[in-house]
Structures are given as C-alpha cells and as structure tokens.
C-alpha cells in the first residue's frame, strides 16, 4: 500500500492530489493548517487518511509531527510539497515586504523543512518520490511576479539539486510547473480576498484545473522506479509565451 504525504491538502491542488491518490487505493497523510477540512476528507475515507495539522514554516513543530507519524502512515513513499502561495502583484518598489517574507517562508523554507524531515527515511528504505509544486513563474518573469517567481525558481533548482544528491539511492524528485490554473483559492489569496479581482484573472479563458495537476502528480509517482522526470512545465492552450517588453522613448 502506497503512503502519500501531501502538504497544503485542505483545498485546491493539495485536496485534488490527495483525492487522486485515494482513488488509487493509497493511504494519505493530508497535512495543512486547517484541520477541520482535513477531518472532513478523513471521514470520507475511513482508515486511509491521517489528518495532520501542520504549519510547514514552523520547523521544530513540523519535524516533531513528521517524526511521530503512526503506523500505517509512518513510511512515506511519495511526498508532495504543495503548500505555497502568492501574495500581491505590486511592482518591487511598492510591494509589501511582509508578503515577500511570508512567500519565502512558505514556498522555500517550508518546502525545505518538510523535505529534510522525510527524505532520510526514503533513502534508508531505498525508495521514494518527491514531487514539488513549482510554477512557470519560476522561469518566465512577469510584472509583479518578483518574489513569488523567485521562490518558484528556488523550487525548480532545489528539485534538480535533490536529484544530484540522491543519485543511486532509489529516491527521485520531480517539479511540476503549472501556468494558469482556475478553480482554486490561489488568486483570492494573492489579492487578499478580493473575489472580483481574482475572478478577472480567468475571465474568457479555459484554464487548467486542480484535477489536471493532480493527474500529472499521480502520473509522475507511478513511473517505474528507474525513471526520473526532472520537471514538467504545463499550461492551458489559451496561454503561451509573450514578446519581450520594450520601453520606447520619444523619437
């Protein structure tokens, strides 16, 4: 029986990923700060979901909680580092530095905290898959993306460096880097609860869905043990790359 740990599992990508693995018969450690939502998922799948209140930015508390996982959840086969967020879309000289610090704490430090707690056990067992949720923002800059894009560039490079360190151990890492995804809390969080502004991001589009991301994560985890997929970049086909910006003065 596969055991999967999903961070940020209370909504959006994390919930969809947890549900996808549950549909395949896995045991799931559903970790997030909102315990009530996790308990609702556990009630739907008796005995196969461990709801875990977890703030990935609190390293001592996260390490203690993950070290104390009970059977049959103690040996994690698949770690999905999904917890993360974007805050604000202001240019760098106007951005809220508290937003910057929170993104760094969650998207970078939080991912590192959980990975460091789980990977040694995978190496000891000689098997395991780490899947980090990045973003195309880690490679494609856009106005207002500043620190969010930088944190996702960290996720991308950290994944590659994990594979450099883990060669020959039986443990592998992959990074999933989505573009425009609708139907989640992502933009509502970015715009601090402004639902109208969040909805405008997806107006007139058919974006990717959380289920599309979950299917991709599940596919990565189900590859044969000798296969490592370093990164997957994915967008809806209503989105693509744009031209470079050029600021022109008066002729």
């Amino acid at each position: 029986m596969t055991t999967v740990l999903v961070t940020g599992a209370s909504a959006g990508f994390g919930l969809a990923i947890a549900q996808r693995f549950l549909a395949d018969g896995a045991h799931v450690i559903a970790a997030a700060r909102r315990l009530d939502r996790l308990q609702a998922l556990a009630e739907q799948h008796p005995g196969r979901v461990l709801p875990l209140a977890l703030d990935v930015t609190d390293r001592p508390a996260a390490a203690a909680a993950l070290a104390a996982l009970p059977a049959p959840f103690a040996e994690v086969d698949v770690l999905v580092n999904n917890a993360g967020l974007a805050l604000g879309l202001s240019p760098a000289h106007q951005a809220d530095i508290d937003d910057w610090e929170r993104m760094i704490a969650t998207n970078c430090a939080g991912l590192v905290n959980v990975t460091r707690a789980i990977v040694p056990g995978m190496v000891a067992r000689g098997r395991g898959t780490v899947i980090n949720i990045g973003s195309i923002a880690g490679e494609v800059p856009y106005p207002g993306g500043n620190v969010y894009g930088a944190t996702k560039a960290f996720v991308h490079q950290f994944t590659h460096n994990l594979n450099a360190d883990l060669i020959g151990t039986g443990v592998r890492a992959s990074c999933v880097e989505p573009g425009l995804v609708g139907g989640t809390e992502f933009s509502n969080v970015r715009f601090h609860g402004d639902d109208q502004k969040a909805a405008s991001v997806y107006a007139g589009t058919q974006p990717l869905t959380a289920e599309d991301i979950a299917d991709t994560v599940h596919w990565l985890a189900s590859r044969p043990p000798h296969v490592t997929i370093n990164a997957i970049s994915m967008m809806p086909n209503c989105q693509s790359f744009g031209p470079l910006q050029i600021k022109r003065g008066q002729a």
Side-chain angles (χ1 to χ4, degrees), residues 77-81 111 115 119 122 127-133 155-177 217 220-221 223-232:
D77 301 297
V78 180
L79 166 61
V80 184
N81 281 310
L111 179 147
T115 302
V119 165
M122 290 180 167
R127 69 181 191 277
T129 300
V130 178
I131 301 173
N132 298 322
I133 304 300
V155 174
H156 176 96
Q157 190 63 22
F158 181 65
T159 304
H160 289 345
N161 282 323
L162 276 177
N163 280 324
D165 288 344
L166 296 171
I167 186 170
T169 65
V171 184
R172 60 193 177 179
S174 299
C175 190
V176 179
E177 302 173 345
V217 169
L220 285 168
R223 292 310 84 208
H226 70 284
V227 176
T228 297
I229 308 296
N230 293 304
I232 291 180

Side-chain angles (χ1 to χ4, degrees), residues 1-249:
M1 180 74 71
T2 300
T3 298
V4 184
L5 167 59
V6 184
T7 65
S10 61
F13 293 3
L15 178 58
I17 290 165
Q19 290 172 329
R20 180 64 186 84
F21 279 102
L22 286 165
D24 201 38
H27 282 105
V28 171
I29 304 157
R33 290 177 301 166
R34 294 179 290 190
L35 187 59
D36 56 331
R37 295 193 180 193
L38 304 177
Q39 289 170 335
L41 180 65
E43 290 170 4
Q44 296 168 14
H45 303 274
R48 291 203 294 125
V49 175
L50 176 65
L52 185 66
L54 189 72
D55 179 352
V56 299
T57 68
D58 186 337
R59 181 166 59 87
L66 296 171
L69 293 172
F73 300 96
E75 296 188 356
V76 175
D77 301 297
V78 180
L79 166 61
V80 184
N81 281 310
N82 167 72
L85 76 168
L87 292 170
L89 201 61
S90 299
H93 58 290
Q94 297 173 349
D96 185 334
I97 197 165
D98 288 337
D99 286 349
W100 281 9
E101 289 184 350
R102 187 176 171 199
M103 285 187 282
I104 293 166
T106 305
N107 301 356
C108 299
L111 179 147
V112 167
N113 292 340
V114 176
T115 302
R116 185 61 180 81
I118 295 298
V119 165
M122 290 180 167
V123 171
R125 292 185 293 274
R127 69 181 191 277
T129 300
V130 178
I131 301 173
N132 298 322
I133 304 300
S135 169
I136 62 167
E139 296 188 81
V140 182
Y142 58 87
N146 42 66
V147 166
Y148 174 69
T151 66
K152 292 304 184 178
F154 174 91
V155 174
H156 176 96
Q157 190 63 22
F158 181 65
T159 304
H160 289 345
N161 282 323
L162 276 177
N163 280 324
D165 288 344
L166 296 171
I167 186 170
T169 65
V171 184
R172 60 193 177 179
S174 299
C175 190
V176 179
E177 302 173 345
L180 188 69
V181 184
T184 75
E185 299 176 343
F186 177 85
S187 288
N188 301 76
V189 171
R190 162 166 264 175
F191 296 122
H192 299 280
D194 187 333
D195 293 340
Q196 184 175 359
K197 195 170 184 179
S200 70
V201 174
Y202 311 101
T205 73
Q206 184 177 351
L208 298 175
T209 67
E211 289 70 28
D212 293 327
I213 309 309
D215 281 342
T216 302
V217 169
H218 183 269
W219 179 82
L220 285 168
S222 65
R223 292 310 84 208
H226 70 284
V227 176
T228 297
I229 308 296
N230 293 304
I232 291 180
S233 176
M234 55 193 295
M235 300 180 185
N237 60 24
C238 64
Q239 182 183 34
S240 190
F241 304 102
L244 292 174
Q245 296 188 81
I246 299 175
K247 174 66 175 177
R248 301 186 188 278

